[in-house]
Amino acid sequence: MSRDAIIRAYNEAVFDTDKEAAFEVVNAALSHGMTAEEIVFEVVIPGTEAMMSAITKDPDANLAQHFMTAQIAAEVTEKMLTRFNHPPEVIGRVVLGTAFGDLHSLGKRIVAGCLKALMVEVIDLGVNVPAERFVEEALKHEAQVIAISSMMVHTATGERGCAKVRALLREAGLEGRFKIVVGGAPYRFDEGLYRTVGADNWAADGVAGAKLIAQLIREVKA
Amino acid sequence: MTPLEILAAAVTGQTAPRIPIFCNLLDQGARELGMSQRDYYASGENVAEGQLRMRARHGYDNVWSLFYVGKEAELLGCREILCCEDGAPNVADFVIKTYDDIARLEIPEDLTAHPAWQETAKCLRILRQEVGATHPICAYLTASTTLPAILMGMDAWLELLLSGPAEVRDELLGKCSLFFQKEVAAYRAAGANVLIYSTPFGAPSFLGMKGFKAFALPWMKRDLEPGGIGGIVYYCGMAPFNSVIEQVLEELQIGAYYISPLADLGEAKAILGARGLTCGVVDDIKLIGWTPGQTRAEVQRLCEIGKPGGHFLLGTGVMPQAVPEANIRAMIEAAFEFGSYP
């Protein structure tokens, strides 16, 4: 199997949201002598980026495609990382969680899965995260981005969610150090809502969120 | 005409003085009664009283028997609901934590004997006594394909659905469909007559058209066939679904469709015509930040699209508590003004 054929087969598997097929391609690549590093940087990352780009442009893209893209990307990357000779260089760090009072974890999981494959270190704080913890963990891990997911209106707009994270950063003089990104259903119904809650930017879905976070990390580090 | 008669006229296309006007002020009832969410939702009497007061104050047509969506999970064993004062309660304890829990999941033989049903029954009894002869009483029922999300979490459900063992998935769906069939029968028997069928997987944005046809449609048929479609409203959790209306009409014969604010209402109305009730929905998240003037303009826009030819209802989403009272008033006043027929 040539390298081009491997890349093509992997991309097809990801576009078909076929996890089994993606792993078959990866195993075939290993048996053909590709290293784990080559698989991640020459197959997985370009494949994930291509899928992310395609589904963010496609108005008919669906939740299953978003979910499986993230699942495949995260699982293949994790498996390959265990075979790396040296730990890979991450492009940056994000602390990620759902807003205080919100227990919906799907969007966060899609974001985290895609980011892992883009070599972004994800500090996943889980669900129902107090604002103070977002700031503490961002400082502790020297993150560039704080990402807050909300599925419910009151957790998006409430005083203990993103608005409080912004207030805490302002009080501590840390606003220049971190970018805040929000995402989740309420933001799709009001595209200006992210500004109201004090975020720097927002994304309409998990895949777009991962792309945005990777871009903001580069901006903060520039 | 009573609101119930106005609704019936909109469904059948008969003459009526105005369109039906539905508004969903669920959590606002607690504030109205000066109670915490936890205290409010602990009692069917409170929920009924809150609903009756909100309806009396604003003059819209419907009342709700819904406490919160997680109530269905409580009927299936959920023991912890996270309450907060500024928004809807949500499920904090998943009934299904491992696939073994799916085998153990039991659908109560008689839902109405379950302790978690008793407050709902009280609420419905009061609503039926007070306004049942004149006003529509709404109930909220989750489709079999979506109920797993509140039993195990949406991401765990998607993982099982998309890449888990098919026999485990089908066992869970079978149990959830049986639950739906029992639940819809219980609500009908208790007096609910507008049954919001919450079926987000019935929108193509969840699994695509292929998944809609191969997965969602057959399970929706299984949910609905035993009890029929009387009073059922097709609702996809605010996701757009115009592209499947034709197939839902053909395959399920559902008579009412709650159109997402993100969808093209004119397109939906053109597809449905006189074959079903088109429900135009005000974007309740934008309502938080709009002025009363903007609210009025949006209601006028929706009525101008939907009202010609009848078969139209104006409704809202779940109306977050952050929606200002002035906007609720402006919305209802505009609905009566622009929703009236000459």
Side-chain angles (χ1 to χ4, degrees):
Chain A
M1 202 179 202
S2 71
R3 194 157 292 205
D4 283 349
I6 287 168
I7 292 169
R8 258 198 320 277
Y10 182 81
N11 284 353
E12 276 174 25
V14 174
F15 273 75
D16 290 342
T17 65
D18 188 338
K19 189 162 77 177
E20 268 182 42
F23 272 100
E24 278 169 22
V25 175
V26 167
N27 289 333
L30 287 169
S31 65
H32 279 78
M34 278 184 86
T35 65
E37 286 87 343
E38 286 171 333
I39 290 172
V40 167
F41 290 107
E42 294 177 31
V43 180
V44 177
I45 291 179
T48 306
E49 284 178 334
M51 181 62 176
M52 287 166 67
S53 176
I55 62 181
T56 50
K57 283 179 195 153
D58 178 2
D60 296 325
N62 58 67
L63 183 64
Q65 286 174 314
H66 285 242
F67 183 76
M68 288 309 293
T69 297
Q71 285 284 103
I72 293 168
E75 288 183 31
V76 173
T77 304
E78 273 170 24
K79 188 177 172 190
M80 290 301 101
L81 287 179
T82 61
R83 292 168 169 260
F84 271 37
N85 290 323
H86 304 287
E89 194 177 325
V90 296
I91 69 160
R93 291 180 196 85
V94 57
V95 292
L96 171 69
T98 70
F100 187 71
D102 205 315
L103 303 170
H104 298 83
S105 55
L106 176 64
K108 178 174 73 65
R109 183 164 164 178
I110 294 173
V111 172
C114 293
L115 285 175
K116 279 179 192 165
L118 299 179
M119 295 297 130
V120 172
E121 188 177 332
V122 178
I123 296 100
D124 188 342
L125 306 182
V127 296
N128 194 18
V129 181
E132 293 81 358
R133 186 145 179 255
F134 276 110
V135 177
E136 287 161 14
E137 296 288 337
L139 280 168
K140 181 176 154 189
H141 294 279
E142 298 182 341
Q144 289 79 37
V145 173
I146 297 171
I148 308 168
S149 171
S150 301
M151 185 66 183
M152 303 162 85
V153 176
H154 69 279
T155 62
T157 59
E159 290 172 6
R160 289 178 289 181
C162 180
K164 188 162 184 187
V165 174
R166 170 59 69 197
L168 290 169
L169 292 182
R170 191 177 299 128
E171 284 164 21
L174 293 169
E175 286 188 284
R177 196 157 154 192
F178 307 108
K179 294 280 187 192
I180 305 175
V181 175
V182 290
Y187 300 101
R188 299 180 70 160
F189 286 85
D190 182 352
E191 294 184 3
L193 189 60
Y194 80 94
R195 288 195 204 95
T196 311
V197 303
D200 292 297
N201 217 321
W202 77 289
D205 56 65
V207 168
K211 282 179 75 172
L212 175 64
I213 288 165
Q215 175 200 320
L216 289 177
I217 285 173
R218 291 191 181 94
E219 282 177 26
V220 172
K221 288 179 87 173
Chain B
M1 287 174 93
T2 65
L4 207 48
E5 290 165 339
I6 289 170
L7 175 64
V11 170
T12 57
Q14 305 293 306
T15 306
R18 61 172 172 83
I19 61 170
I21 299 162
F22 276 39
C23 186
N24 306 330
L25 299 177
L26 302 171
D27 301 335
Q28 285 84 350
R31 201 166 51 197
E32 178 72 15
L33 298 184
M35 291 180 176
S36 68
Q37 295 273 359
R38 194 172 290 282
D39 289 345
Y40 174 70
Y41 283 124
S43 151
E45 285 97 337
N46 292 344
V47 174
E49 179 63 18
Q51 282 296 295
L52 291 168
R53 283 202 203 176
M54 298 312 292
R55 202 217 64 75
R57 179 192 296 176
H58 293 290
Y60 52 83
D61 290 333
N62 64 311
V63 288
W64 268 98
S65 62
L66 172 64
F67 286 49
Y68 42 82
V69 172
K71 198 79 181 162
E72 289 173 313
E74 289 179 306
L75 285 164
L76 289 168
C78 166
R79 292 195 172 90
E80 192 186 349
I81 297 289
L82 179 67
C83 285
C84 56
E85 290 316 308
D86 55 355
N90 53 127
V91 171
D93 165 46
F94 289 129
V95 174
I96 299 169
K97 297 179 180 76
T98 69
Y99 288 172
D100 288 342
D101 292 334
I102 292 170
R104 287 191 282 267
L105 181 68
E106 282 185 24
I107 307 305
E109 185 59 38
D110 177 7
L111 282 190
T112 64
H114 194 286
W117 175 262
Q118 303 318 310
E119 296 306 322
T120 303
K122 276 186 208 164
C123 174
L124 276 160
R125 199 157 43 238
I126 296 166
L127 294 177
R128 203 174 59 231
Q129 280 166 3
E130 296 292 323
V131 296
T134 51
H135 291 71
I137 299 175
C138 300
Y140 178 95
L141 301 104
T142 303
S144 59
T145 52
T146 301
L147 189 59
I150 60 172
L151 299 179
M152 64 195 301
M154 187 59 159
D155 46 350
W157 169 227
L158 273 183
E159 195 172 320
L160 171 58
L161 173 60
L162 298 170
S163 56
E167 67 281 5
V168 176
R169 177 199 66 201
D170 290 346
E171 182 182 9
L172 176 57
L173 285 163
K175 289 182 176 183
C176 289
S177 191
L178 177 63
F179 175 81
F180 176 85
Q181 292 161 23
K182 287 173 180 272
E183 189 185 26
V184 76
Y187 270 111
R188 281 183 171 127
N193 47 22
V194 174
L195 306 161
I196 309 298
Y197 180 49
S198 177
T199 181
F201 284 84
S205 53
F206 273 66
L207 299 178
M209 282 306 281
K210 201 169 143 192
F212 167 78
K213 286 179 194 165
F215 170 74
L217 206 47
W219 280 104
M220 291 194 290
K221 267 189 188 170
R222 185 157 157 180
D223 288 349
L224 296 168
E225 266 174 3
I229 52 159
I232 295 282
V233 178
Y234 195 79
Y235 166 72
C236 293
M238 307 300 262
F241 58 82
N242 282 4
S243 59
V244 300
I245 290 175
E246 196 66 57
Q247 284 170 85
V248 175
L249 259 175
E250 191 179 313
E251 301 277 342
L252 305 177
Q253 290 89 43
I254 289 174
Y257 296 80
Y258 217 72
I259 307 300
S260 164
L262 299 177
D264 181 340
L265 179 63
E267 180 186 67
K269 182 78 196 281
I271 296 167
L272 281 162
R275 297 183 295 166
L277 182 70
T278 302
C279 306
V281 179
V282 180
D283 184 333
D284 54 2
I285 294 178
K286 285 190 175 152
L287 260 182
I288 296 171
W290 277 336
T291 62
Q294 287 172 310
T295 303
R296 178 182 161 83
E298 174 63 3
V299 171
Q300 181 177 8
R301 185 185 75 83
L302 294 174
C303 287
E304 284 172 356
I305 295 170
K307 202 175 70 166
H311 298 280
F312 182 68
L313 172 154
L314 189 83
T316 69
V318 291
M319 296 292 279
Q321 288 192 52
V323 174
E325 176 89 6
N327 284 356
I328 299 173
R329 278 202 305 274
M331 178 182 71
I332 302 293
E333 282 169 16
F336 275 95
E337 181 182 341
F338 299 113
S340 292
Y341 290 106

